[in-house]
Amino acid sequence: MDDLDTLEAERRNLLARAYRMLGTVADAEDAVQETYVRWYRLSDEERAKIINPAAWLMRVAGRICLDVLGSARVRRESYVGPWLPEPLPRSSPLVASAQLDPLDRVTLDESVSMALLVVLESLTPAERVSFVLHDVFGVPFAEIAETVGRSQDAVRQLASQGRRRVRERRAGLATREQHDAVARAFLEASATGEFDRLVALLDPDVVLRSDGGGKMSAALRPVLGSDRVARFLLGLPRLNPGAELTVTATTDGIALLARVGGRADSVFSLIVEGDRITEILIVRNPDKLTQWQ
């Protein structure tokens, strides 16, 4: 297991899983780093007794993610404004996968969509870890039970609860073609400043959340309702006149990327149901835009 190529390959797997459990690349990297610190702290004799080092690493990484998720609510009480998961471009190595999944499973690329990551935020830590490991990565319940410290039956129930919420969310979402058509119309209406046209694309109960993390200007509370959201959006160019807005590919479909001076300034993810936008998620926190630079 000390072969560097093998270790690096396993590190990539752990990072992919930890990101889906935690929602940001930085937290995932910290969890994986701590996992390897614990591996190398073992004596040679202790490592020799481990029959399946990859399973050991996954079990430890899962426990670390559980601890991080358990403390996340407390940490986010001091977070400035809404907290959102970190969006990934379609080209990110954390997205790419050759895995072929049954239709009732969540594929690896779907599992990093903002629509799904937001739903995962509503799960308990144990539900999230159980769902991600089993439904996304196919880890047996016996191994997950060791990770979360529950019985196999309990873990099976946890994964089922997470699966139910995810299915409910996926059932209401527009198809990729519908999503992209609405996203392009949204970009055109925003670029031309057509208020009525923009409002027509928004669900009456649309919610806009923006995450600046206290490092970039952003709305400190969610913006509610089509009129208020439209006015908020049309006011953004005056606040940041140098921004260039373009379409970009994500696993949700088309998103909007704003660049200032050639650098990523914000990513607009749209949640579309039918032919209306129900949520707009704007990430401006530079710590969550490293994959876009």
Side-chain angles (χ1 to χ4, degrees), residues 69-292:
L69 289 169
S71 64
R73 287 186 174 89
V74 175
R75 290 188 292 114
R76 289 173 194 170
E77 288 179 358
S78 61
Y79 195 83
V80 179
W83 187 96
L84 292 173
E86 178 174 349
L88 293 180
R90 185 81 193 186
S91 58
S92 170
L94 290 176
V95 174
S97 170
Q99 174 176 309
L100 297 177
D101 289 300
L103 292 178
D104 61 346
R105 286 274 301 279
V106 174
T107 60
L108 284 181
D109 57 350
E110 285 179 316
S111 66
V112 296
S113 75
M114 288 292 282
L116 180 57
L117 289 171
V118 168
V119 174
L120 294 183
E121 286 297 313
S122 69
L123 304 184
T124 67
E127 284 175 343
R128 183 167 185 168
V129 170
S130 299
F131 171 79
V132 168
L133 292 182
H134 181 266
D135 280 55
V136 179
F137 291 97
V139 178
F141 284 124
E143 293 183 28
I144 301 173
E146 291 187 41
T147 299
V148 301
R150 309 279 185 94
S151 69
Q152 289 190 48
D153 287 341
V155 168
R156 189 176 287 105
Q157 181 64 25
L158 290 169
S160 176
Q161 290 166 352
R163 188 180 311 121
R164 183 173 63 252
R165 294 194 196 180
V166 169
R167 282 177 175 170
E168 290 172 354
R169 181 54 162 166
R170 293 170 81 192
L173 296 178
T175 65
R176 178 62 57 84
E177 291 75 17
Q178 291 171 323
H179 178 284
D180 289 356
V182 171
R184 291 185 185 280
F186 173 84
L187 176 60
E188 293 174 3
S190 300
T192 57
E194 298 177 65
F195 179 80
D196 291 340
R197 186 180 177 191
L198 186 57
V199 169
L201 293 168
L202 304 175
D203 185 87
D205 297 320
V206 64
V207 178
L208 180 148
R209 285 180 283 164
S210 55
D211 179 348
K215 300 181 179 183
M216 299 290 285
S217 62
L220 296 180
R221 293 181 178 83
V223 182
L224 309 176
S226 54
D227 278 11
R228 290 181 178 179
V229 168
R231 295 183 193 282
F232 179 88
L233 291 168
L234 294 180
L236 292 179
R238 291 193 296 272
L239 297 176
N240 204 345
E244 178 185 359
L245 200 62
T246 59
V247 297
T248 186
T250 71
T251 58
D252 290 279
I254 286 176
L256 306 180
L257 173 64
R259 291 188 177 276
V260 175
R263 292 188 62 80
D265 175 82
S266 49
V267 174
F268 294 66
S269 298
L270 308 177
I271 310 300
V272 180
E273 298 185 27
D275 59 355
R276 298 287 184 90
I277 298 169
T278 56
E279 291 184 66
I280 300 175
L281 310 174
I282 306 175
V283 174
R284 299 200 70 206
N285 185 342
D287 295 340
K288 297 180 181 181
L289 295 175
T290 58
Q291 301 285 304
W292 298 83

